Amino acid sequence: MKLLSYTDESRAGWGVLANDGGVIDGLDLTGGRYGSVRAVLRGGALDEVARLASAARAGLDLDRLRLLPVIPDPGKILCVGLNYEAHRRETNRAPTGEPTLFLRVASSQIGHGEAIVAPPESDKIDYEGEIAIIIGRAGRRIAQADAWEHIAGYAPYNDVSARDWQQHTTQWTPGKNFDATGAFGPWMVTRDEIPDGAELTLATRLNGEVMQEATTAQLIFDIPRLVHYASRFATLEPGDVIVTGTPGGVGFKRNPPVFLRDGDVVEVEVGGVGCLRNPVRAE
């Protein structure tokens, strides 16, 4: 099942992507009992939504909707840095025994099709294609063996970074949280569609040219380890997002460097999940 968030004529909503490419209105489908994808997850209602959707007809045209981030209002967005060996090497960072985590704020996010905004404060805006996991069941100190049971699904993510601001200090927060830089979508694919531990492919394209390619088999810290580690210091709650890291091939480490410019188009594709596409607009 594919779940997405959107606005339709200024009304925020959520829906299920039907097999014919249309969208089933989630509010209508559930009689208004669940007001968002996050509410579905908090209510433990994925199975109910899937059952209702199997007998429903799509009433919305996907192309007429403005897509929002899959989870517009996550309680936490935990991003993982330096989690592919090729990326760790290209940044000349030393290996670490535990994952490198930083926070992204929800207000920095955009949906599929929305413009990544290149701000005047930075001329070093860089793509970072990643795979996001969405938490579906709350937990604290989750064992790695139990981690999959806490995952609701997967989605593409573009953790766009202002590299100059990221390097102002040892703390990355400013460079990772400019408005309209965290692209998340177009939808999430629920866990039941992908076998636990399956090798997912990830590719980032800039104006049609492949810039990054990797699979989850190349993660330094795999998904169960990330869930376990994060849940040791914070309770993971339904709708929380863990962005699992970007592979090698980022723009600022190329020779010459490649940064996003007005008119560019960036795509992040996760095999079996979907393709996130965003144009770039100078502010």
Side-chain angles (χ1 to χ4, degrees), residues 31-127:
R33 285 180 293 120
Y34 303 105
S36 65
V37 175
R38 184 183 180 193
V40 170
L41 301 180
R42 294 178 71 176
L46 282 178
D47 289 344
E48 176 189 355
V49 169
R51 176 179 56 79
L52 293 172
S54 67
R57 301 182 68 175
L60 298 171
D61 183 349
L62 178 63
D63 293 334
R64 296 176 66 87
L65 301 176
R66 175 193 168 209
L67 295 188
L68 300 174
V70 176
I71 310 291
D73 57 344
K76 293 183 283 295
I77 306 169
L78 301 172
C79 298
V80 186
L82 309 169
N83 201 24
Y84 286 85
E85 182 62 18
H87 183 50
R88 184 196 67 78
R89 288 199 307 268
E90 72 182 356
T91 58
N92 297 314
R93 298 290 185 126
T96 60
E98 300 293 350
T100 298
L101 297 187
F102 59 92
L103 294 174
R104 181 178 273 277
V105 297
S107 61
S108 71
Q109 295 192 133
I110 56 172
H112 172 81
E114 292 293 290
I116 295 165
V117 176
E121 290 84 0
S122 174
D123 61 357
K124 293 181 171 58
I125 301 298
D126 199 357
Y127 55 83

